[in-house]
């Protein structure tokens, strides 16, 4: 597994607009499916011209729901297992904007290496810098990174199935 799916890459994936909307669909899909299940497949509209409005949906509600569920599970693994320095700070500028000082890096170091116990001093040791700790944190907990990446991947793949079904529905026309 090695450097497969670093935490920083998973952070970027999880912050995409598409994946951020997954939580909405966890609640909207079951309600909308229930409501539309009772509705007729088509409704004839007469304004502004006469045409049939298709209420039957071209995609699988289940597939869409599972997509959202996998993405939510990936987010859960990410927030539970990703080291704070990577989760909270994409780069040194973010760290500084948050009002953090160099001594905060030691706290992050202790999170990823609990056995690390420096002598009390005003400045962190020179070998502990923001980027050295961030780099190390980005690569720990390989199994969790792999699980998170696979959950995101399956969720996105299921979404692509739904998108493909919709595309074919539009290209092939209404049933």
């Amino acid at each position: 597994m090695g450097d497969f799916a670093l935490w920083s890459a998973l952070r970027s994936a999880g912050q995409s607009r598409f994946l951020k909307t997954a939580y909405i669909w966890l609640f909207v899909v079951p309600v909308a499916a229930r409501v539309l299940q009772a509705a007729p497949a088509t409704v004839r509209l007469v304004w502004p011209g006469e045409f049939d409005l298709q209420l039957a949906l071209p995609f699988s509600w289940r597939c869409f729901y599972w997509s959202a569920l996998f993405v939510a599970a990936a987010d859960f693994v990410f927030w539970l297992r990703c080291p704070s320095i990577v989760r909270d700070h994409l780069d040194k500028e973010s760290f500084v904007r948050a009002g953090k000082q160099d001594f905060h890096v030691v706290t992050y170091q202790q999170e990823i290496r609990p056995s690390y116990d420096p002598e009390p001093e005003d400045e962190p040791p020179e070998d502990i810098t923001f980027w050295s700790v961030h780099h190390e944190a980005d690569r720990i907990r390989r199994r969790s990174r792999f699980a998170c990446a696979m959950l995101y991947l399956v969720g996105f793949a299921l979404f692509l199935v739904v998108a493909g079904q919709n595309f074919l529905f539009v290209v092939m026309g209404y049933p």
Side-chain angles (χ1 to χ4, degrees):
M1 282 184 276
D3 283 347
F4 174 79
L6 301 177
W7 285 119
S8 55
L10 295 170
R11 178 183 193 266
S12 296
Q15 291 188 343
S16 71
R17 179 172 281 147
F18 161 70
L19 295 180
K20 281 185 169 186
T21 64
Y23 292 105
I24 296 168
W25 301 115
L26 284 176
F27 300 102
V28 170
V29 168
V31 172
R34 189 63 79 184
V35 168
L36 289 176
Q37 189 176 26
T42 60
V43 175
R44 180 165 292 281
L45 297 177
V46 292
W47 186 82
E50 195 168 310
F51 67 94
D52 290 332
L53 176 65
Q54 297 289 326
L55 295 179
L57 296 172
F59 60 86
S60 165
W61 283 104
R62 262 192 199 103
C63 191
F64 198 51
Y65 185 76
W66 279 104
S67 171
L69 199 59
F70 274 99
V71 168
D75 279 348
F76 180 74
V77 170
F78 178 84
W79 287 106
L80 188 65
R81 300 290 295 155
C82 181
S84 300
I85 193 168
V86 177
R87 187 177 61 230
D88 299 341
H89 307 290
L90 187 58
D91 53 28
K92 176 79 178 205
E93 290 76 29
S94 164
F95 179 79
V96 171
R97 276 193 313 271
K100 302 284 177 134
Q101 304 292 324
D102 287 339
F103 65 87
H104 287 104
V105 173
V106 173
T107 305
Y108 289 125
Q109 180 69 24
Q110 289 171 323
E111 178 189 351
I112 61 176
R113 264 200 233 155
S115 62
Y116 179 74
D117 189 21
E119 293 296 320
E121 27 182 79
D122 293 336
E123 294 293 317
E126 285 185 28
D127 63 330
I128 297 181
T129 65
F130 172 84
W131 284 115
S132 68
V133 175
H134 195 281
H135 182 77
E136 183 179 351
D138 214 6
R139 288 161 173 72
I140 65 170
R141 302 176 185 151
R142 287 181 304 174
R143 288 186 186 118
S144 296
R145 285 188 290 132
F146 183 78
C148 185
M150 290 300 104
L151 289 167
Y152 276 138
L153 186 65
V154 170
F156 189 69
L158 289 172
F159 175 77
L160 287 178
V161 167
V162 171
Q165 289 173 339
N166 280 313
F167 177 76
L168 290 175
F169 182 76
V170 170
V171 170
M172 304 300 237
Y174 295 104

